[in-house]
Amino acid sequence: MLRLTDRSTVETYFRERFAISPEVFREYQFYKADKGFWMTSAQGADKYTGLKRIECLGIRILKGEERSLKPTTYALQLFGRYAKINVVDINRDELKKLLEEGSLPGRLDNVDEGYVIIRYRGDVLGCGFYSKGLLRGRFRKGRSGALASSGLY
């Protein structure tokens, strides 16, 4: 069941992982469901929170449980422009390799291990995971296919 939740979990995650100010989220309400956090505009969503059959409302912005959260592509495309840390800009060749092989080797300066925002030409493509000198794309299959057929590279 979907329930209104304290906004601090969402705001803290984005502040600590990407240095996104909590002010960015002030116009939204957050809901907890079984496997993640959902977001709606602050207006009018309250009328749905008591209904037992509502499992999601708005867009999912974080997947998982509080100790192991992963940002969704939707969330990063909406709010990634405000990120100050853990952002990886890739070029055309790197995008091609990431989509074809699923990962890019190499040390990234000023990037912490964990989830990162992947950008190409300044646009947020989605989520990646950086660990031990390897950047892995965490795009859904449909998203990877759309990027591959988009003509970006």
Side-chain angles (χ1 to χ4, degrees), residues 53 59 125 129 138-139:
R53 294 195 174 166
I59 64 167
L125 298 180
F129 191 81
R138 289 290 187 243
F139 307 125

Side-chain angles (χ1 to χ4, degrees), residues 40-98:
T40 65
S41 65
Q43 294 181 309
D46 290 340
K47 61 186 171 187
Y48 300 108
T49 56
L51 301 175
K52 291 184 179 179
R53 294 195 174 166
I54 300 288
E55 294 181 19
C56 60
L57 182 65
I59 64 167
R60 183 162 46 175
I61 60 167
L62 291 169
K63 295 179 185 177
E65 298 299 321
E66 290 185 37
R67 63 187 176 280
S68 61
L69 294 171
K70 176 193 177 289
T72 65
T73 296
Y74 301 123
L76 296 181
Q77 289 176 329
L78 286 170
F79 302 112
R81 65 179 172 222
Y82 301 108
K84 296 176 183 77
I85 60 173
N86 296 317
V87 177
V88 178
D89 289 295
I90 60 175
N91 63 36
R92 184 181 193 141
D93 293 335
E94 292 167 329
L95 174 59
K96 182 177 180 182
K97 185 172 183 168
L98 186 62

